[in-house]
């Protein structure tokens, strides 16, 4: 996992990057939880998602938001962090100019940032949102949601009630052409155990494989 430093809007950002061997491999950006609550790119769920995307043949990047680890700058209430994610996407696209597809994945605060990025970058073709903080942030900006994706939540999440996420999913699924793959993990809270994390990563891999296969079939039919 080569260490990379790339330019962000408020200084250099620290990341870990895996470059796929295939020249037109899909790419994935993985975003970590809240910087003020211990979130880093080394978070268990973030690392597991990064590894799964890597194993699926993606060029994959995880990085620290501003003010975390060796990333420069200071926490900016989410606004600057969205700009950080956009800079990370710029880096990914610069080193993968022929990428066949682009995905964004995030956990907790990272899923909020990822969904914001989704609205700003139409080239993103899929997303994975884990423990989306639907009761803490207004996700009304997803109108319309630009693409389908996976939303996974713990049934016993003590910080973000599952009902608030289900309400968001139901709203998104009414949008034309959008299908949210919603999965609830029984017995899981907001912070996942090692065993639960593996199930989260497996669910993400299952969803991504399904979407990639669907895309390949659509291309073959053309």
């Amino acid at each position: 996992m080569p260490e990379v430093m790339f330019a962000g809007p408020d200084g250099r950002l620290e990341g870990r990057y895996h470059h796929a061997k295939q020249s037109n491999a899909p790419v994935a950006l993985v975003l970590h939880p809240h910087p003020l609550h211990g979130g880093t790119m080394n978070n268990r769920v973030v690392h597991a998602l990064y590894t799964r995307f890597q194993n699926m043949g993606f060029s994959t990047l995880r990085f620290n938001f501003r003010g975390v680890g060796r990333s420069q700058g200071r926490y900016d209430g989410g606004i600057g962090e969205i700009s950080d994610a956009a800079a990370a996407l710029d880096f990914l696209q610069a080193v993968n100019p022929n990428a066949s597809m682009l995905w964004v994945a995030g956990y907790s605060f990272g899923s909020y940032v990822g969904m914001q990025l989704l609205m700003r970058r139409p080239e993103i073709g899929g997303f994975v949102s884990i423990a989306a903080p639907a009761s803490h942030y207004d996700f009304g900006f997803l109108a319309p949601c630009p693409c389908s994706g996976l939303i996974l939540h713990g049934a016993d999440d003590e910080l973000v009630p599952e009902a608030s996420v289900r309400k968001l999913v139901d709203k998104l699924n009414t949008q034309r052409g959008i299908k949210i793959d919603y999965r609830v993990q029984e017995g899981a809270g907001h912070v996942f155990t090692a065993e639960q994390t593996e199930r989260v990563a497996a669910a993400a891999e299952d969803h991504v494989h399904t979407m990639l296969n669907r895309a390949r079939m659509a291309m073959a039919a053309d």
Side-chain angles (χ1 to χ4, degrees), residues 55-76:
N55 292 343
M56 284 188 282
F58 281 66
S59 287
T60 312
L61 174 68
R62 57 190 168 98
F63 76 98
N64 281 327
F65 289 121
R66 58 184 64 196
V68 177
R70 294 170 58 202
S71 290
Q72 296 176 326
R74 296 172 58 186
Y75 173 67
D76 191 39

Side-chain angles (χ1 to χ4, degrees), residues 33-34 43 45 107-109 111 130-136 153-161 165 187-193 196:
H34 206 293
N43 170 272
V45 173
Y107 171 37
S108 193
F109 172 81
S111 72
I130 310 299
S135 58
H136 294 242
H153 208 74
D156 300 330
D157 192 317
E158 67 287 359
L159 295 179
V160 183
V165 180
H190 196 74
V191 176
F192 296 89
T193 66
Q196 289 166 346

Side-chain angles (χ1 to χ4, degrees), residues 120-134:
R120 290 160 169 77
R121 303 294 283 266
E123 65 269 35
I124 297 175
F127 69 86
V128 173
S129 285
I130 310 299

Side-chain angles (χ1 to χ4, degrees), residues 24-28 52-53 55-58 100-103 125-126 204-220:
N24 66 335
V27 299
R52 291 289 180 133
F53 275 111
N55 292 343
M56 284 188 282
F58 281 66
S100 58
M101 198 174 186
L102 201 155
W103 284 70
E205 181 173 354
D206 177 67
H207 173 80
V208 174
H209 269 311
T210 299
M211 297 304 289
L212 291 179
N213 288 336
R214 195 171 295 168
R216 290 189 193 105
M217 289 171 65
M219 287 178 64

Side-chain angles (χ1 to χ4, degrees), residues 96-203:
N96 297 275
N98 301 314
S100 58
M101 198 174 186
L102 201 155
W103 284 70
V104 62
Y107 171 37
S108 193
F109 172 81
S111 72
Y112 168 74
V113 174
M115 298 298 263
Q116 286 276 4
L117 188 65
L118 197 67
M119 297 300 295
R120 290 160 169 77
R121 303 294 283 266
E123 65 269 35
I124 297 175
F127 69 86
V128 173
S129 285
I130 310 299
S135 58
H136 294 242
Y137 296 93
D138 182 5
F139 280 77
F141 58 84
L142 293 168
C145 185
C147 68
S148 299
L150 169 70
I151 294 181
L152 186 148
H153 208 74
D156 300 330
D157 192 317
E158 67 287 359
L159 295 179
V160 183
E162 186 271 329
S164 67
V165 180
R166 186 176 295 275
K167 183 178 179 182
L168 169 63
V169 170
D170 289 344
K171 186 176 180 181
L172 295 178
N173 274 331
T174 65
Q175 297 183 13
R176 187 175 179 182
I178 297 300
K179 178 67 178 79
I180 302 300
D181 178 2
Y182 184 46
R183 307 192 189 193
V184 178
Q185 190 169 128
E186 295 301 324
H190 196 74
V191 176
F192 296 89
T193 66
E195 183 182 345
Q196 289 166 346
T197 297
E198 280 307 302
R199 293 205 292 271
V200 167

